Amino acid sequence: MALIEGMIESIIYRNDANGYTVCEMAHGIETVTLVGYMPFTNEGEFVRATGAWTSHPDYGEQFKVEAYENVMPKTADAIEKYLASGVIKGIGPVTAKKIVEKFGEDSIEIIQFYPLKLAVIKGITAEKAQQIGRIFESQRELMDIVIFLQKFGMGPSYSTRIYKAFGSGAIEQIKRNPYRLSDEIFGIGFKTSDRIAMSLGLDPYSKFRISSAIKYVLSKAAEAGHTYLPKDKLTESTCGLLEVEGSNIDDALESLQLERSVNIEKEGHTARVYLSSFFNAEKNASIKLHVLCNSDFKAVSDEIAAVMGEVEKEEGIKLASLQEKAVREAILNGVLVITGGPGTGKTTVIKNLIRIFMDNGSKVELAAPTGRAAKRMTEATGIEARTIHRLLETGFLADREGQIFQRNETNPLEADAVIIDEMSMVDILLFNSLLKALTPGTRLIMVGDADQLSSVGPGNVLRDIISSEMVPTVRLTEIFRQSEESKIVWNAHLINKGEIPDISNKDRDFFFMKRSGGESILEAIKELCCQRLPDTYGYSPMKDIQVLTPTRKGIVGVSNLNAEIRKVLNPPSFGKTEKMFNGYLFREGDKVMQVRNDYSLGWEMLTGSGIIRGEGVFNGDMGTLAEINEDELRVSVSFDDNRNAQYDFSMLDEIEPAYAVTIHKSQGSEFPAVIIPMYPGHPMLLTRNLIYTAVTRAREMVVLVGSFEVFKAMVNNVREDLRYSGLKDKIIRGWQLRSQN
């Protein structure tokens, strides 16, 4: 590590979002270029930096900063330049000159410790003098936080969040309880807090540590889909993480329950431990479902039902008996679930309901969990569908660090009927938020395939509602003739029933390419993506063909497939910029996917009437990495729906290469052609509902590549991921209690 120090002469570039800075420093008789994360550094400041010398192909020799600290300028000239840079709001070049003329080399000390003395200068009131002092102090505190975090290997990007959350004295608060970082600051994990705590010599048995670990274990369980953990499993996991005794866990749990951070629910002989947000979501959802179900629509049912025959005649469609039942139940009930596999006519039911409701003057809202699913719903019905987040009008807290919904109990949706598609993807928190925005008298119609994978987020909402047997449900089972002609639909239903499809026929839309060994499967997939499917069927490798795989690791896992498919679809070439981040290589022209909801990320869309701007990019959105801009430290992504978004380099953990994605990540999406590797793996991954979900993602063609024995094993493996979810029990218990009153 090299050490240099000197005065910052000019700021060439700064990314205000993450503090990345390019600046010039006067170092002795030389001027050197510094690059790195240096938030709050300004012209005229003296900086002491450690790092390494590097050579940039365009800009020559640079000093890459790993850590730094500000040293206040000492001479009158340096102080004046520092103040004139605008570092302190309210002090410009003229005022800076006046301050230095009056106080000379003591100017910084006066601003920091005796700001009221500035009021002797013409143009500075006592109020303004105090404000200057406060601004200077807050900047010093921010810098102190940056320097403090550097010692523990943390970058400066969290310092502003920490200062906003903890205010003055933040460092002392962190020293007293480092676990507040992971408890209260988004993006800081328990292990980071624990590393800081152990470095500071905190007691391994402290209540702070054990309480934070409990919340961490429950949060990790939520990431795996659980809304709670049985107390014995929570205790085992927490003790294993911290190497402490179970009795310490009990004491910490009691305190957390008193603080209302967790809820402990008795169910039979089991104690269920929830993070409070999930407990409240299940409780509120079960209550609201009962309220909505109790709405009485029988008075208007005859009037609306009279329209059914007219709609069938106009549309030229005769509903099957179960479809007709679904329509009638939707008219008669406040809440209805319509479930069924592909080709069973769910969309036909939705279209008929829309016509009937709209012809009756009712306002209908359509929504789905993801952008891709909403787009499909719009195309199928001809009526605009939105993501549930957009339906609920996503908003933000004042500091934009938290997301809220504008539609809620006090500002409900103005709709007579709300139809939600792909309901299997909806998690408990989103479901609870949706229910909050509905009032008695608004019909809720939930449509989905209960046999698909559960939601990525916590909970088992659709299955819990159906299995409670308390909410009216219609299961569509008949496959219609036009769908019956598709081997994709036919084979999907066979798979779902545990029957092995016949692959001896070379069907137009369902193929099995037998290959032995990972290398052979990999080469076949690359050939299909690059040559066979594009040349034979005209599919676009980037927009029409999607590889879906059960696993992230291994020769046919997501990581390796993306690297290998990229070699043939987007090889390196002169003029294509590349960027390594978080273990991923990004290259201009790459197919990428958004992997988490970002409600505040801005986007633009060029239309015939001009540029439309909006906010929000969501998990599962796909597009092309259009540009990597090293100078401005950002990348541009052009999404498939023509939205264009800009990402700072620090946000690259929000996107991943997407030539291949996991089957879980494909939920709610549909692709013209799907390729699925059949390669041996852990039985927990290779399950029937996983292969069923993968096959039903294809609209026109499925190609399975690999071992037929693996395929048969998946069809026969009815194992499902265990999800700890209490919604079903709360629905049943709530209905029973209310029926007794």
Side-chain angles (χ1 to χ4, degrees):
M1 283 281 185
L3 172 67
I4 63 170
E5 61 178 73
M7 186 179 74
I8 303 300
E9 290 193 324
S10 63
I11 303 294
I12 299 170
Y13 170 81
R14 167 168 295 135
N15 184 325
D16 291 328
N18 59 21
Y20 190 91
T21 304
V22 180
C23 61
E24 289 186 337
M25 170 196 278
H27 178 55
I29 62 172
E30 298 179 319
T31 298
V32 299
T33 301
L34 275 62
V35 297
Y37 293 95
M38 295 183 288
F40 323 120
T41 300
N42 294 280
E43 293 175 0
E45 285 186 330
F46 278 79
V47 168
R48 185 179 297 119
T50 56
W53 292 99
T54 61
S55 181
H56 191 281
D58 296 324
Y59 305 114
E61 192 173 48
Q62 298 178 335
F63 189 81
K64 186 176 181 181
V65 176
E66 297 294 334
Y68 81 104
E69 60 180 319
N70 285 67
V71 181
M72 282 293 113
K74 305 295 184 185
T75 68
D77 287 345
I79 291 171
E80 183 179 341
K81 185 172 183 180
Y82 167 67
L83 295 176
S85 69
V87 62
I88 301 175
K89 186 178 180 181
I91 299 179
V94 174
T95 305
K97 186 176 182 65
K98 290 179 181 179
I99 292 173
V100 174
E101 283 178 350
K102 177 66 177 175
F103 299 109
E105 294 178 359
D106 296 329
S107 297
I108 298 297
E109 183 179 355
I110 294 296
I111 292 170
Q112 184 172 7
F113 298 110
Y114 311 105
L116 274 174
K117 289 187 177 183
L118 297 173
V120 301
I121 296 171
K122 187 177 180 181
I124 300 180
T125 64
E127 183 180 351
K128 184 176 180 180
Q130 288 182 316
Q131 183 184 25
I132 289 171
R134 286 194 297 269
I135 292 171
F136 181 84
E137 187 59 29
S138 68
Q139 290 174 335
R140 294 297 300 168
E141 288 176 343
L142 274 171
M143 180 51 57
D144 289 342
I145 294 170
V146 171
I147 294 168
F148 176 75
L149 294 177
Q150 281 179 167
K151 294 185 292 187
F152 305 104
M154 287 184 67
S157 57
Y158 295 109
S159 55
T160 302
R161 290 182 189 175
I162 292 169
Y163 185 71
K164 282 182 180 179
F166 299 164
S168 59
I171 292 175
E172 289 306 312
Q173 294 183 64
I174 294 169
K175 287 180 178 178
R176 190 159 54 247
N177 178 14
Y179 298 100
R180 285 189 64 188
L181 291 173
S182 51
D183 290 349
E184 301 178 34
I185 308 298
F186 174 77
I188 299 179
F190 169 79
K191 292 182 179 179
T192 298
S193 293
D194 200 42
R195 185 176 70 249
I196 294 173
M198 295 301 98
S199 299
L200 293 172
L202 261 70
D203 180 6
Y205 290 90
S206 76
K207 184 184 76 173
F208 295 142
R209 184 176 191 238
I210 297 172
S211 296
S212 186
I214 288 170
K215 288 186 279 188
Y216 170 76
V217 170
L218 289 173
S219 296
K220 296 301 286 185
E223 290 177 16
H226 308 296
T227 59
Y228 72 88
L229 282 180
K231 183 173 177 289
D232 58 345
K233 291 190 177 295
L234 172 65
T235 300
E236 180 184 349
S237 296
T238 307
C239 289
L241 177 67
L242 300 180
E243 299 180 352
V244 298
E245 297 295 327
S247 58
N248 299 97
I249 306 295
D250 291 338
D251 293 341
L253 267 177
E254 187 175 337
S255 297
L256 287 171
Q257 193 172 17
L258 289 172
E259 296 167 10
R260 298 186 178 179
S261 295
V262 304
N263 286 79
I264 301 176
E265 177 185 63
K266 293 287 186 180
E267 188 68 33
H269 299 293
T270 304
R272 299 171 172 178
V273 185
Y274 288 82
L275 287 173
S276 292
S277 58
F278 299 124
F279 177 83
N280 292 331
E282 286 189 351
K283 178 182 175 184
N284 295 340
S286 67
I287 293 171
K288 193 61 177 282
L289 273 175
H290 184 267
V291 171
L292 292 173
C293 279
N294 276 351
S295 298
D296 185 6
F297 293 99
K298 292 180 173 58
V300 297
S301 63
D302 292 339
E303 181 184 342
I304 299 177
V307 185
M308 286 180 63
E310 295 176 22
V311 170
E312 286 185 326
K313 189 180 296 183
E314 289 177 18
E315 296 288 334
I317 297 173
K318 176 61 180 173
L319 295 179
S321 58
L322 284 174
Q323 289 179 308
E324 185 175 327
K325 179 182 178 183
V327 171
R328 289 188 178 278
E329 291 293 321
I331 293 168
L332 290 169
N333 291 284
V335 181
L336 178 70
V337 174
I338 302 171
T339 185
T344 55
K346 297 189 295 294
T347 300
T348 300
V349 171
I350 293 174
K351 290 169 70 174
N352 273 264
L353 284 171
I354 293 170
R355 275 292 311 275
I356 291 169
F357 287 138
M358 292 179 72
D359 286 357
N360 192 57
S362 298
K363 183 179 179 182
V364 182
E365 292 283 5
L366 308 183
T370 67
R372 294 179 75 91
K375 184 179 179 182
R376 284 173 50 208
M377 197 178 188
T378 300
E379 292 169 348
T381 63
I383 305 294
E384 182 191 5
R386 293 177 280 175
T387 63
I388 298 174
H389 295 88
R390 292 200 189 286
L391 176 70
L392 299 180
E393 298 177 16
T394 306
F396 304 95
L397 301 175
D399 59 4
R400 296 184 67 83
E401 292 294 325
Q403 169 251 329
I404 58 173
F405 291 117
Q406 309 287 356
R407 294 291 184 174
N408 49 38
E409 303 97 325
T410 58
N411 183 31
L413 289 167
E414 297 168 1
D416 299 297
V418 175
I419 303 175
I420 306 296
D421 199 10
E422 295 286 358
M423 188 63 201
S424 63
M425 296 182 64
V426 177
D427 63 50
I428 186 61
L429 294 181
L430 184 58
F431 185 57
N432 183 44
S433 295
L434 172 66
L435 293 178
K436 285 180 180 179
L438 302 181
T439 55
T442 297
R443 293 177 175 84
L444 174 62
I445 300 152
M446 296 174 281
V447 184
D449 187 345
D451 294 318
Q452 286 189 18
L453 294 170
S454 299
S455 59
V456 174
N460 219 0
V461 174
L462 182 60
R463 292 185 190 178
D464 278 357
I465 292 172
I466 294 172
S467 60
S468 75
E469 299 182 351
M470 298 292 169
V471 177
T473 300
V474 176
R475 183 179 288 272
L476 303 177
T477 56
E478 181 182 348
I479 306 174
F480 292 93
R481 190 177 64 182
Q482 63 270 29
S483 297
E484 204 171 45
E485 294 170 359
S486 165
K487 283 296 180 181
I488 296 174
V489 171
W490 187 254
N491 288 339
H493 283 271
L494 290 176
I495 289 168
N496 199 32
K497 291 188 289 186
E499 299 178 22
I500 309 298
D502 180 6
I503 62 165
S504 59
N505 296 323
K506 300 298 181 183
D507 295 305
R508 181 183 61 81
D509 60 0
F510 195 97
F511 300 93
F512 201 110
M513 293 177 61
K514 291 185 178 180
R515 293 291 186 272
S516 179
E519 288 291 346
S520 178
I521 295 172
L522 180 61
E523 289 305 312
I525 290 173
K526 289 162 65 176
E527 184 184 3
L528 284 164
C529 289
C530 187
Q531 296 175 341
R532 293 183 64 168
L533 295 186
D535 292 349
T536 307
Y537 300 97
Y539 288 130
S540 164
M542 301 293 280
K543 294 191 176 291
D544 297 333
I545 303 170
Q546 186 60 56
V547 179
L548 304 179
T549 182
T551 181
R552 299 191 69 87
K553 298 179 180 179
I555 192 167
V556 292
V558 164
S559 298
N560 192 57
L561 278 170
N562 273 311
E564 291 293 321
I565 297 171
R566 176 196 277 120
K567 289 178 182 178
V568 294
L569 293 184
N570 188 30
S573 66
F574 180 77
K576 279 187 180 178
T577 306
E578 297 180 354
K579 171 74 177 175
M580 281 294 300
F581 183 87
N582 205 25
Y584 292 106
L585 173 68
F586 293 98
R587 179 179 296 147
E588 288 177 340
D590 272 347
K591 183 177 182 178
V592 293
M593 172 187 273
Q594 178 80 10
V595 294
R596 77 173 183 87
N597 291 334
D598 188 329
Y599 307 101
S600 62
L601 183 62
W603 51 262
E604 293 184 347
M605 182 190 298
L606 182 62
T607 68
S609 56
I611 295 176
I612 297 174
R613 292 180 174 86
E615 289 183 330
V617 180
F618 301 104
N619 189 3
D621 288 351
M622 284 188 171
T624 302
L625 203 163
E627 181 190 20
I628 299 175
N629 192 318
E630 290 282 5
D631 294 332
E632 298 182 16
L633 304 173
R634 61 170 176 77
V635 303
S636 302
V637 175
S638 177
F639 287 100
D640 291 348
D641 58 3
N642 298 319
R643 288 174 301 149
N644 292 282
Q646 307 285 329
Y647 295 74
D648 292 327
F649 280 178
S650 62
M651 299 165 60
L652 284 177
D653 57 352
E654 294 190 10
I655 58 174
E656 291 181 5
Y659 301 100
V661 300
T662 62
I663 296 168
H664 283 85
K665 279 290 184 187
S666 73
Q667 286 176 265
S669 298
E670 189 177 76
F671 312 95
V674 164
I675 303 170
I676 311 166
M678 292 287 98
Y679 186 72
H682 198 287
M684 288 185 66
L685 288 174
L686 305 182
T687 62
R688 180 186 297 173
N689 67 341
L690 193 75
I691 187 62
Y692 172 73
T693 300
V695 167
T696 56
R697 298 308 88 204
R699 186 164 62 245
E700 300 170 8
M701 179 175 294
V702 170
V703 185
L704 298 114
V705 185
S707 165
F708 189 62
E709 293 304 313
V710 170
F711 177 58
K712 288 197 296 184
M714 290 185 77
V715 174
N716 290 322
N717 184 4
V718 294
R719 180 201 302 253
E720 294 181 10
D721 290 339
L722 172 65
R723 284 205 170 192
Y724 294 114
S725 169
L727 179 62
K728 172 185 173 181
D729 295 328
K730 288 183 178 63
I731 292 173
I732 294 172
R733 188 164 56 245
W735 257 249
Q736 290 172 342
L737 286 173
R738 280 180 278 275
S739 66
Q740 294 169 7
N741 295 332

